[in-house]
């Protein structure tokens, strides 16, 4: 992050979309007051069989397929690191997102709530992977 006078880094929010492993690792996220989970993977094993676009899952697990190297999936699977997540989190999901099923965000939000993490969820029934409606973007 670039230094800029007048910006206090402890008040920044980290928007993590393609890096699901990060939010359960306080050594990486401790400098942020809150995290934004925008349609991110929560369980790599479920995602390995839930979508047609497999590149991201295999990339996030070191380039391995779930059935050839399940240990890699287990090591980097965010579901195993939720216990380490302590920051506030906003979870955002569009129902029409075909890259990340909405069950991933719902499961992440439920896990945060069950652990007592301050969290909120925005669920847009008429949006896809990107929140495009100007009125929804204002929320």
């Amino acid at each position: 992050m670039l230094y800029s006078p007048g910006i206090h880094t402890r008040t920044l929010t980290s928007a993590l979309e393609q890096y699901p492993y990060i939010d359960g690792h306080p050594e990486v996220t401790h400098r942020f007051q809150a995290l934004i989970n925008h349609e991110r993977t929560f369980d790599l094993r479920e995602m390995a069989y839930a979508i047609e676009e497999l590149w991201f899952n295999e990339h996030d697990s070191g380039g391995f397929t779930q059935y050839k190297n399940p240990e890699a999936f287990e090591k980097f699977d965010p579901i195993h690191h939720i216990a380490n997540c302590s920051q506030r989190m906003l979870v955002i999901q569009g129902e029409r997102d075909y890259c990340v099923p909405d069950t991933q965000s719902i499961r992440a939000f439920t896990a945060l709530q069950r652990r007592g993490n301050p969290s909120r969820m925005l669920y847009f029934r008429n949006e896809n992977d990107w929140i495009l409606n100007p009125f929804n973007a204002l929320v």
Side-chain angles (χ1 to χ4, degrees):
M1 173 185 291
L2 298 175
Y3 173 75
S4 178
I7 296 178
H8 194 277
T9 57
R10 292 285 299 157
T11 62
L12 293 177
T13 298
S14 174
L16 306 168
E17 183 173 357
Q18 296 299 333
Y19 303 98
Y21 181 70
I22 293 174
D23 57 353
H25 293 271
E27 68 275 9
V28 177
T29 60
H30 70 279
R31 61 185 170 170
F32 300 109
Q33 290 291 321
L35 300 174
I36 297 174
N37 172 335
H38 178 249
E39 302 171 342
R40 290 189 17 256
T41 303
F42 180 68
D43 186 349
L44 286 174
R45 288 174 293 164
E46 179 187 8
M47 285 289 287
Y49 300 102
I51 61 169
E52 80 287 348
E53 176 55 70
L54 299 175
W55 185 87
F56 291 106
N57 280 353
E58 293 170 8
H59 176 269
D60 290 346
S61 64
F64 301 106
T65 59
Q66 193 276 338
Y67 54 88
K68 285 190 177 177
N69 192 344
E71 294 82 19
F73 266 65
E74 294 301 314
K75 178 179 179 183
F76 296 109
D77 197 340
I79 200 168
H80 298 302
H81 303 283
I82 193 68
N84 299 327
C85 187
S86 59
Q87 286 90 346
R88 295 177 291 180
M89 191 176 297
L90 173 64
V91 179
I92 304 171
Q93 179 69 40
E95 182 178 33
R96 296 180 181 172
D97 183 355
Y98 300 110
C99 297
V100 179
D102 60 357
T103 55
Q104 293 287 316
S105 293
I106 294 168
R107 292 174 74 189
F109 177 69
T110 301
L112 291 165
Q113 290 283 299
R114 295 290 306 262
R115 294 196 40 75
N117 284 47
S119 51
R120 297 284 187 265
M121 182 169 183
L122 297 175
Y123 187 83
F124 297 101
R125 294 190 182 279
N126 59 343
E127 298 283 5
N128 55 31
D129 188 48
W130 295 33
I131 307 304
L132 299 175
N133 183 311
F135 295 108
N136 290 342
L138 290 174
V139 174

